[in-house]
Amino acid sequence: MSHNVNTYTLGDRQVKRLGYGAMQLAGPGVFGPPADEQRALQVLRDAVAAGVNHIDTSDFYGPHVTNQLIKQSLHPYHEDLVIVTKVGARRDSKGGWLPAFSPEDLTQAVEDNLRNLGLEVMEVVNLRSMLDVHAPAEGSLEPQVEAMIKLKERGLVKHIGLSNVTAKQVSDAQKMTPIACVQNLYNLANRQDEALVDQLAAQGIPYVPFFPLGGFSPLQSEQLTEVAQALHATTLQVALAWLLQRSPNILLIPGTSSPEHLKQNLASGELVLSPEVVQRLNSIA
């Protein structure tokens, strides 16, 4: 299947490779309401007006905050818009992240997402592994994947994705059901998923990296800053452009609560990195 360099297939939909992640629209620590609700609603409207048709969210952002903002600003949704959510976690009263990983929890979470977004069916739901809250950890996800398959059979979910998972968990899940995408930590400084990105690309499956600037050492940031200055771009634009050039199956979901930053992030699609620049950036890891 040939892909336009700017789009890729997610489930059975064509989405632009530069999407938008709603996480940062909630309050500090992804908890509570935004400082400026009107601005948050504006960013969502601006994203869609700029052609973004892939929005990443979750009912545990806020909790409920980002989904309610999406519904308030964009519902009824344009038929072209693909909203992707994730399940597997919940928040305590202080904003801590806890597993909500039983089949009952997952069912409840999908129903909550549908209600808060004002949807009848979720296009894609990512099952976020909570075997370790902070990083992928080996272990069976069979009961959780089974629960997702049941939700698919009930017609509440069209496609199942995975998040915070190992390559083994991806292939184990694929023996049970088609996997529509994988959402993991991957960026210039964190390349543990190098082989997985390529493996999924060969299967025509999107890989959705989060934290494009997460986990850089000061030294790495310095190198990135020098490259960005030479290109008259921001460090985030360079990091996003590198990801877009890394593999055609990479879909980006940079988040921001600023209309100005949104414009900058979307402009990273125009930034072409020469082979020399790519080589220099590759040495960062």
Side-chain angles (χ1 to χ4, degrees):
M1 184 185 273
S2 76
H3 290 287
N4 171 329
V5 290
N6 299 318
T7 64
Y8 200 75
T9 307
L10 173 59
D12 42 32
R13 305 283 290 274
Q14 283 290 312
V15 297
K16 300 239 175 89
R17 291 182 62 205
L18 262 165
Y20 175 76
M23 182 164 127
Q24 291 184 30
L25 293 181
V30 200
F31 198 59
D36 183 340
E37 186 179 277
Q38 285 316 307
R39 194 159 167 252
L41 297 169
Q42 191 58 51
V43 169
L44 285 161
R45 291 190 194 108
D46 287 357
V48 171
V52 167
N53 63 356
H54 170 211
I55 292 180
D56 182 81
T57 185
S58 174
D59 215 42
F60 54 69
Y61 296 160
H64 319 306
V65 172
T66 59
N67 282 351
Q68 288 164 355
L69 290 167
I70 289 168
K71 183 182 178 184
Q72 198 179 328
S73 59
L74 301 175
H75 196 276
Y77 304 114
H78 192 281
E79 60 189 18
D80 189 34
L81 182 64
V82 178
I83 299 175
V84 177
T85 192
K86 65 179 75 62
V87 294
R90 65 183 178 86
R91 311 302 287 280
D92 64 22
S93 60
K94 296 184 182 66
W97 302 81
L98 304 172
F101 212 46
S102 70
E104 297 72 28
D105 287 330
L106 299 173
T107 302
Q108 174 79 56
V110 167
E111 289 168 353
D112 287 348
N113 274 283
L114 288 170
R115 186 178 61 254
N116 284 314
L117 286 164
L119 286 169
E120 302 282 299
V121 56
M122 287 302 316
E123 197 68 39
V124 182
V125 177
N126 288 319
L127 169 68
R128 188 187 200 281
S129 171
M130 292 296 282
L131 298 176
D132 177 333
V133 176
H134 304 291
E138 290 296 1
S140 171
L141 298 176
E142 196 170 326
Q144 288 77 20
V145 175
E146 280 293 350
M148 297 304 295
I149 293 169
K150 288 203 172 79
L151 290 163
K152 197 170 161 178
E153 286 164 356
R154 277 176 61 192
L156 299 185
V157 174
K158 276 195 192 163
H159 299 279
I160 297 167
L162 296 172
S163 179
N164 195 39
V165 287
T166 66
K168 182 182 189 308
Q169 286 165 336
V170 175
S171 63
D172 287 349
Q174 285 179 317
K175 294 180 183 108
M176 299 170 69
T177 190
I179 294 302
C181 56
V182 173
Q183 189 179 111
N184 272 1
L185 170 67
Y186 178 78
N187 59 35
L188 270 171
N190 296 276
R191 307 234 204 116
Q192 299 86 326
D193 272 359
E194 211 75 272
L196 182 58
V197 171
D198 295 336
Q199 200 180 312
L200 293 169
Q203 299 177 36
I205 297 172
Y207 181 97
V208 187
F210 54 74
F211 299 140
L213 283 180
F216 280 69
S217 74
L219 189 67
Q220 291 168 332
S221 297
E222 212 172 294
Q223 284 178 274
L224 181 58
T225 302
E226 285 168 19
V227 170
Q229 282 168 345
L231 294 170
H232 305 292
T234 68
T235 51
L236 183 55
Q237 284 177 321
V238 173
L240 293 172
W242 180 84
L243 284 164
L244 285 173
Q245 278 180 234
R246 165 63 184 82
S247 184
N249 67 322
I250 288 182
L251 297 180
L252 299 183
I253 47 167
T256 176
S257 57
S258 147
E260 203 34 59
H261 285 156
L262 174 73
K263 278 199 194 76
Q264 287 181 4
N265 291 350
L266 295 178
S268 57
E270 309 298 310
L271 187 62
V272 179
L273 307 177
S274 69
E276 296 74 40
V277 169
V278 170
Q279 201 171 353
R280 186 169 175 203
L281 292 171
N282 284 345
S283 71
I284 285 180

